[in-house]
Amino acid sequence: MTEPFGISPTVRPKRPFFLRRGPMENIATVVIAVGFLMLFQPFLLVLYTYSLITLLVGTAMFIIVSKFPE
């Protein structure tokens, strides 16, 4: 049996951007990469100071986001 307007009952609406696994894993990876670059740059002490925090935030974000459904 078909639904009105040709919509199948098994079609689920798309999740919002911040609840999708793929894009959020990419953002977490970029945050980790930025923290890594901040750690190894020789110019600004303030970037070096916050590099570990940035790495930890990116890593925690990746761990949490990797549990999201596909």
Side-chain angles (χ1 to χ4, degrees):
M1 185 164 139
T2 62
E3 295 290 320
F5 307 112
I7 298 174
S8 172
T10 59
V11 174
R12 289 180 281 155
K14 286 185 87 170
R15 295 175 185 264
F17 180 76
F18 288 104
L19 292 178
R20 284 189 258 160
R21 183 177 180 177
M24 290 305 291
E25 279 184 346
N26 292 339
I27 290 172
T29 303
V30 168
V31 170
I32 293 170
V34 167
F36 184 78
L37 291 175
M38 289 168 63
L39 184 65
F40 288 104
Q41 59 81 33
F43 304 112
L44 296 173
L45 184 61
V46 70
L47 292 180
Y48 178 78
T49 303
Y50 291 105
S51 64
L52 179 63
I53 294 170
T54 307
L55 279 169
L56 291 175
V57 166
T59 303
M61 184 177 167
F62 190 87
I63 290 170
I64 292 168
V65 168
S66 67
K67 307 296 185 215
F68 285 2
E70 203 52 47

